[in-house]
Amino acid sequence: MFTKNQKLSASLALLFILILVSGCELYRDFTTYFNTYYNAKTLFERTEEEILKQKKDPFQFREDAQGGKSIFPTSQTQQFSGETRNRNQFSNQQFGSQSSSQFGTGNLSSGNISQDLTKVIEKCSKILQYEKESSFFPDALFMTGKALYYQQEYSKAQRKFMELAGLKNSKYSLINKLWLAKTNLQLREFDEGLRLIEEVKKEAIEKEEDEIFNEASITKISFLIFREQYVQAINECQDFLKNSNDDEMKALVANQMGIIYLKINDDKNALEAFSSVLKYEPTFDVELKARLQLAKLLKKLNRVDESEEELTNMSNQGKFKNNLDEIYNELSDIYFEKGKYERAIDMLKFVDSTYKQLPTSGIACMKLGKLYEKGIQDYDSAHKYYNKAASSLAPRELKLEAGGKVKNFDRYFFLKKELTELNTQFKYLQNLKLFIQDSLDYAIAEKEYLDENKKMLEASSNQNNENAQAQEILRQQQQQQLQIQQQKLLLELNKNKNNEPIPLKVLIALGKAKKPERPTADSTSIKTSIAANLFNQGSLFYSEIEQYDSALVYFNKIMKDYSDKPIVPQTLFAMATYYETTNDTIKADSLYKIIVEKFPKDKLYEPAAIKLGIITKDSKKKEDVSSDPASLPFQKAEELYYQNKYQEAIDSFKVLANKFPKSRFGAKSLYYIGMIYEENFKNYDSAAVAYGILAKNFALEPLAKNAIAKYDEYQKEKERIKNEEEKKKAEELKKKEEEDKKKLEKEKPVENNTIKVEDNKTINDSLKDDLIPRNKKSYLERLKADTDSLKKKFINNEISDTLKSKINPIKKDSSKTKSPIPE
């Protein structure tokens, strides 16, 4: 038997032998693992987990990088289950706080995903650069490729995946091919990407790699949805349901298949797909969405009772207690459709009060607004809830719709208030005693209101009059009491469902009563304003609020009580339009006939006549054309244009423009002239002339607007070219002057101001620089050559005015020699 010390010695010897055998390779792997790989792997796994949590739609093909959002899921448990996702978030926060100091990776929940991915790439690059013989080299290569993919650096990622494929590492053979396929799809190399996807799916089935098969299928479905190839996407979903062994993923894909059927308006198959989700093992989120969609479809397909039963069952199940907002929003629609308004209102108010910080609260307010508007026709409550929806967290489209509703009801309440005031004014005109009585009543009620407030304030002020601070506190308390009193009065007013008389002093307290004013207009003006107000309210109900019967009530009131007012033709036309929408053509035609017979000069005469078939649009057009003597020659000129006889057309149009300068056909002729010159002859100057005349003489014609724009553009361009040419000429002239000046200053200047030569000529100072003679003969030869040169330049206008002024001719009093430069 060996002793303990002998066993220890043998173990150490064996370890020493193993180290000698494995040598540097084992040491390299050991140091690489603890120094670089372990940290990189830990950081990448945690970062990827965070990326997958941020994934909102597992079938989204492209998303913003935003610090590294993933394009496709790798774990259905993390990706598709709301409950699991929440649990993972909680556990990750705990794990992160524990491990941040240990591994130096920081808090990954901070949102710096892109920075973390960059750190992973940097750490892995050290292995790729210095540890090529390490067994961790393929791992580092794969992590680098995925990190680059998450950063949407697809070309770089592709190179890493291809490099890994070249190593022929069996561990990464299949999964690397999948990521290479994804990268090809993102790089729009669709054929190659889809080919690799199919290879991955086939191999994954053979090797029973379920997760890789799932991910490859999701990738292809996502791509087909992105390309809007919905039929192919459905086929891929069906293929997945046949071959996958993962019931959780099957539920996810079945739900997505239902969504695709909805996109192509195949409600029947969509219903079947959502129903099939429950046959598998869906996550909580998938089950919730599928069942809600199922209930919506049942209602859409007029199976309302089944829809109500499905939603009621969901609301009674404890697992959906946190999702009652979505369930009640859908269930309230069914109660609204069935006329069970109170039950619908209770549910929606529950959602509004309980889920204020969620978009579903805004959706509930919008539904409440519609219910009060369309169902109960309580416009005050409708206005209130539309206002809440417009400022809520509801989707943008819903908020915009709510904002439009608020504007409509603002307009309605304004018109309603205006009508009340007009009616009151008319009553006061008819009965002055009524105005006096109302003024007295208002004064008495106002005094009662003020006296009551005064007593209340005095009672509270007598309790404490010690100092200024106490007085300020007292004043604030009094203000609060008044506000509370007003709120109580307003609440009582809203509860007054029996329309019982409300005391005037209460209305004054709430600011809902106005002091009577003596009328300033006559009865005719007031009645005209009332008729216009009624028409505006009717139009609002017809076109915006879409309560057609209410609109008809207002129109009928105008015809009954204000049939002599100017608004009558418009009212008749609006009523006729209403009856047309209800297919009552007999009533509609009778109203159009009244307009034609009684209002021949009104602007609505022609539209009414066209409705009755008395005139047609074509005949009206011919009548307009034939009434102008320029019409026939214009038609002939226009025919020449359409026959591509452009010059003949221009000649004809010019005659028309000159002969009929005030006719609209003259304006059209000028426009044709400009258009032909511009588009057919490319003669922009002539086109600009025609457009300029048109803009000047026919500025109010619709055609002139386009011509004015073109003419202004032409003038600006012309001015620009002119400025550029002038600038260019100025630069060339300046350059020429500088060159001439340099030429004249080449030689050293002579000390004396003048130089005497044999023939007693005097040379100007500007030529002295060139006159430094070594002997008289050479000097005279050079002088003659210079003067001849200057003479040629002067004749050819090559010398600038500045330079000419500097060249003084030789004095005329020399009788022997003439000046070389002619005067």
Side-chain angles (χ1 to χ4, degrees):
M1 297 294 293
F2 293 102
T3 65
K4 187 173 182 180
N5 289 333
Q6 288 175 329
K7 288 181 179 180
L8 179 61
S9 299
S11 299
L12 290 173
L14 180 60
L15 177 62
F16 180 73
I17 293 170
L18 288 172
I19 292 173
L20 289 176
V21 172
S22 56
C24 294
E25 183 178 352
L26 180 61
Y27 177 75
R28 184 184 298 111
D29 282 356
F30 182 81
T31 56
T32 300
Y33 181 79
F34 281 104
N35 290 341
T36 307
Y37 176 73
Y38 179 74
N39 288 337
K41 185 174 184 295
T42 303
L43 178 60
F44 179 73
E45 287 177 350
R46 292 172 57 194
T47 305
E48 186 173 38
E49 185 178 6
E50 190 69 24
I51 290 170
L52 297 177
K53 288 178 191 175
Q54 295 183 8
K55 181 79 175 174
K56 294 180 180 179
D57 180 6
F59 293 93
Q60 184 71 33
F61 180 66
R62 285 191 176 166
E63 295 185 48
D64 294 335
Q66 182 187 317
K69 278 189 178 181
S70 70
I71 306 300
F72 302 109
T74 56
S75 170
Q76 66 271 26
T77 304
Q78 293 173 347
Q79 190 59 42
F80 309 130
S81 170
E83 292 179 329
T84 307
R85 181 164 62 246
N86 293 335
R87 285 197 297 271
N88 284 342
Q89 288 175 346
F90 177 73
S91 62
N92 285 336
Q93 290 172 356
Q94 289 183 319
F95 179 71
S97 61
Q98 280 182 326
S99 59
S100 59
S101 58
Q102 184 178 355
F103 303 123
T105 56
N107 183 7
L108 293 177
S109 300
S110 63
N112 298 322
I113 293 177
S114 184
Q115 296 178 13
D116 292 331
L117 289 172
T118 301
K119 290 179 184 177
V120 169
I121 294 169
E122 290 172 354
K123 290 179 183 293
C124 289
S125 66
K126 293 180 181 179
I127 299 174
L128 299 179
Q129 187 174 1
Y130 301 111
E131 307 292 343
K132 294 184 178 180
E133 303 301 323
S134 167
S135 63
F136 302 115
F137 183 83
D139 298 337
L141 202 56
F142 187 58
M143 276 194 294
T144 302
K146 289 177 75 174
L148 289 168
Y149 182 93
Y150 287 137
Q151 288 186 332
Q152 294 189 348
E153 296 285 351
Y154 299 123
S155 296
K156 293 180 181 179
Q158 185 188 50
R159 288 196 291 272
K160 295 301 177 184
F161 293 137
M162 291 180 71
E163 187 178 347
L164 180 56
L167 297 178
K168 296 182 180 180
N169 186 300
S170 59
K171 174 183 175 182
Y172 288 106
S173 174
L174 192 56
I175 189 66
N176 182 68
K177 186 184 290 188
L178 172 61
W179 281 87
L180 182 59
K182 290 182 181 183
T183 309
N184 285 332
L185 291 177
Q186 295 296 334
L187 290 171
R188 303 187 67 81
E189 297 174 10
F190 300 140
D191 292 339
E192 178 64 14
L194 292 174
R195 183 187 68 79
L196 290 174
I197 287 286
E198 287 302 316
E199 288 183 8
V200 170
K201 286 171 58 183
K202 185 177 180 180
E203 290 181 37
I205 292 173
E206 292 174 354
K207 297 178 180 179
E208 297 183 353
E209 293 282 356
D210 293 337
E211 288 190 8
I212 295 178
F213 172 78
N214 293 344
E215 191 171 354
S217 298
I218 295 293
T219 300
K220 187 172 181 181
I221 294 169
S222 305
F223 170 75
L224 293 172
I225 294 172
F226 170 74
R227 298 279 290 178
E228 296 184 0
Q229 297 175 344
Y230 297 128
V231 175
Q232 295 91 322
I234 289 170
N235 292 336
E236 188 66 26
C237 290
Q238 292 171 342
D239 180 69
F240 178 87
L241 295 174
K242 291 177 183 176
N243 293 289
S244 176
N245 297 316
D246 189 332
D247 281 347
E248 185 176 311
M249 289 296 296
K250 281 184 175 183
L252 176 77
V253 171
N255 183 68
Q256 186 62 35
M257 188 164 63
I259 295 172
I260 300 171
Y261 275 125
L262 288 178
K263 288 180 181 291
I264 60 176
N265 299 315
D266 189 346
D267 294 338
K268 184 178 178 181
N269 280 316
L271 185 70
E272 185 178 343
F274 289 126
S275 299
S276 69
V277 170
L278 302 180
K279 297 177 182 178
Y280 306 112
E281 296 178 3
T283 61
F284 175 80
D285 283 353
V286 172
E287 181 183 355
L288 174 66
K289 292 174 182 176
R291 293 183 69 172
L292 286 173
Q293 288 288 358
L294 181 64
K296 289 181 184 178
L297 274 174
L298 287 169
K299 178 176 174 291
K300 185 178 179 182
L301 296 172
N302 295 321
R303 295 162 62 176
V304 180
D305 291 335
E306 293 178 57
S307 177
E308 180 181 357
E309 183 181 359
E310 177 67 29
L311 291 168
T312 303
N313 289 337
M314 289 179 68
S315 67
N316 292 331
Q317 292 181 18
K319 65 179 177 180
F320 295 119
K321 65 180 180 180
N322 293 327
N323 303 94
L324 289 176
D325 52 339
E326 296 177 79
I327 298 169
Y328 281 176
N329 274 343
E330 294 300 327
L331 194 53
S332 67
D333 287 342
I334 295 174
Y335 290 143
F336 175 52
E337 190 171 308
K338 289 186 171 184
K340 299 178 181 179
Y341 299 143
E342 292 301 326
R343 294 187 68 179
I345 288 172
D346 290 341
M347 284 187 168
L348 293 172
K349 285 185 176 180
F350 170 81
V351 174
D352 175 38
S353 60
T354 309
Y355 300 89
K356 285 186 177 297
Q357 302 304 317
L358 294 177
T360 45
S361 174
I363 295 170
C365 287
M366 189 67 186
K367 289 177 181 289
L368 277 166
K370 288 183 177 179
L371 196 152
Y372 277 116
E373 177 192 353
K374 304 293 184 183
I376 301 176
Q377 294 187 351
D378 179 352
Y379 296 143
D380 288 302
S381 297
H383 185 242
K384 169 189 170 182
Y385 283 106
Y386 283 139
N387 258 315
K388 291 185 71 174
S391 59
S392 69
L393 298 174
R396 183 174 178 273
E397 296 77 10
L398 208 64
K399 291 171 70 174
L400 290 174
E401 184 184 354
K405 293 284 189 180
V406 170
K407 289 180 180 179
N408 291 337
F409 282 108
D410 284 342
R411 174 71 173 160
Y412 165 72
F413 289 121
F414 170 79
L415 290 172
K416 189 178 178 182
K417 181 181 177 183
E418 182 186 60
L419 182 61
T420 301
E421 292 174 356
L422 287 169
N423 283 325
T424 302
Q425 291 283 298
F426 186 73
K427 288 178 183 178
Y428 290 160
L429 275 177
Q430 299 297 106
N431 187 355
L432 187 58
K433 291 181 180 180
L434 180 62
F435 166 72
I436 296 171
Q437 185 61 50
D438 286 351
S439 299
L440 290 172
D441 292 342
Y442 184 88
I444 294 170
E446 186 179 35
K447 188 175 184 304
E448 289 179 2
Y449 162 68
L450 294 174
D451 288 344
E452 288 179 3
N453 281 344
K454 186 178 180 180
K455 287 180 181 179
M456 182 179 68
L457 296 176
E458 286 177 352
S460 58
S461 61
N462 290 332
Q463 296 175 4
N464 194 343
N465 284 323
E466 293 179 1
N467 51 43
Q469 184 177 3
Q471 287 288 342
E472 178 60 24
I473 295 172
L474 179 63
R475 189 190 66 78
Q476 293 178 2
Q477 290 175 348
Q478 291 172 348
Q479 189 68 26
Q480 290 176 358
Q481 287 177 359
L482 289 174
Q483 290 177 356
I484 293 170
Q485 182 67 17
Q486 284 189 343
Q487 290 175 359
K488 289 180 179 178
L489 292 172
L490 187 60
L491 186 62
E492 291 176 5
L493 183 64
N494 291 332
K495 289 181 178 179
N496 185 20
K497 297 181 180 180
N498 298 325
N499 294 322
E500 296 176 358
I502 301 170
L504 184 56
K505 65 179 181 182
V506 174
L507 295 175
I508 292 173
L510 295 172
K512 293 186 175 294
K514 187 178 179 182
K515 185 177 180 180
E517 295 179 359
R518 187 181 293 274
T520 56
D522 57 30
S523 60
T524 302
S525 299
I526 293 176
K527 289 182 72 174
T528 301
S529 298
I530 291 174
N533 180 285
L534 292 171
F535 179 79
N536 289 333
Q537 288 198 60
S539 299
L540 182 67
F541 274 97
Y542 186 82
S543 59
E544 303 297 340
I545 301 178
E546 296 180 351
Q547 290 284 355
Y548 305 123
D549 293 338
S550 297
L552 193 61
V553 170
Y554 285 100
F555 295 147
N556 281 326
K557 186 170 180 60
I558 294 172
M559 297 308 300
K560 179 183 177 182
D561 299 334
Y562 306 95
S563 58
D564 58 337
K565 299 305 172 189
I567 204 71
V568 167
Q570 290 175 260
T571 305
L572 289 168
F573 199 89
M575 292 173 70
T577 305
Y578 164 79
Y579 286 119
E580 270 193 321
T581 59
T582 60
N583 297 319
D584 192 344
T585 56
I586 296 175
K587 283 188 178 180
D589 289 346
S590 66
L591 294 170
Y592 288 134
K593 190 175 181 181
I594 294 173
I595 297 173
V596 170
E597 291 176 351
K598 292 187 177 182
F599 305 97
K601 294 183 179 181
D602 193 86
K603 62 182 180 180
L604 291 172
Y605 168 82
E606 288 172 5
I610 290 172
K611 290 282 188 181
L612 292 172
I614 296 173
I615 60 174
T616 63
K617 292 181 181 179
D618 294 335
S619 65
K620 176 67 173 60
K621 183 177 179 181
K622 289 178 182 178
E623 183 183 347
D624 289 344
V625 169
S626 61
S627 63
D628 194 325
S631 63
L632 187 60
F634 178 81
Q635 289 177 8
K636 292 181 179 179
E638 199 174 31
E639 287 176 6
L640 291 171
Y641 169 76
Y642 287 119
Q643 293 172 5
N644 298 331
K645 298 177 180 179
Y646 300 126
Q647 189 57 54
E648 294 179 37
I650 285 177
D651 295 339
S652 299
F653 285 130
K654 283 181 177 179
V655 172
L656 274 166
N658 291 327
K659 191 174 181 180
F660 305 99
K662 295 183 179 181
S663 170
R664 60 192 179 92
F665 291 105
K668 287 185 176 182
S669 298
L670 286 168
Y671 187 79
Y672 266 105
I673 292 169
M675 186 174 64
I676 294 171
Y677 275 127
E678 179 189 2
E679 297 180 0
N680 302 107
F681 290 163
K682 307 298 180 184
N683 187 341
Y684 303 114
D685 292 331
S686 297
V689 172
Y691 290 146
I693 298 171
L694 178 61
K696 181 180 179 182
N697 298 337
F698 299 93
L700 298 178
E701 286 286 333
L703 283 173
K705 293 181 180 179
N706 193 20
I708 290 170
K710 290 184 178 182
Y711 182 72
D712 289 345
E713 186 179 350
Y714 170 82
Q715 290 293 93
K716 289 178 183 177
E717 182 65 16
K718 192 175 180 181
E719 186 68 23
R720 186 188 66 79
I721 293 172
K722 181 181 177 182
N723 292 336
E724 286 184 356
E725 289 179 351
E726 289 179 353
K727 185 178 178 182
K728 186 177 180 182
K729 286 181 180 178
E731 290 176 352
E732 290 177 352
L733 183 62
K734 184 177 180 182
K735 185 178 179 181
K736 187 77 173 176
E737 289 176 356
E738 290 176 353
E739 289 177 354
D740 290 342
K741 185 177 179 181
K742 286 180 181 179
K743 185 175 180 181
L744 292 173
E745 293 177 353
K746 279 182 181 179
E747 302 294 339
K748 184 178 179 180
V750 186
E751 293 180 0
N752 297 329
N753 291 334
T754 59
I755 297 177
K756 299 279 185 175
V757 293
E758 282 185 342
D759 53 2
N760 296 322
K761 288 194 299 183
T762 301
I763 306 302
N764 188 273
D765 289 345
S766 63
L767 298 177
K768 287 179 184 179
D769 294 342
D770 289 336
L771 300 178
I772 309 177
R774 297 186 181 275
N775 56 67
K776 292 182 179 179
K777 185 176 180 179
S778 63
Y779 162 72
L780 291 173
E781 288 175 352
R782 288 179 60 195
L783 176 62
K784 186 176 184 302
D786 289 340
T787 53
D788 289 342
S789 174
L790 289 171
K791 181 178 179 181
K792 289 179 182 179
K793 290 183 178 180
F794 185 90
I795 293 171
N796 296 329
N797 293 322
E798 295 180 9
I799 299 179
S800 67
D801 294 336
T802 305
L803 188 58
K804 288 177 186 177
S805 64
K806 292 182 180 180
I807 302 176
N808 296 323
I810 298 176
K811 295 181 179 180
K812 290 183 180 180
D813 52 4
S814 176
S815 59
K816 294 182 180 180
T817 309
K818 292 183 178 180
S819 172
I821 303 176
E823 296 182 5

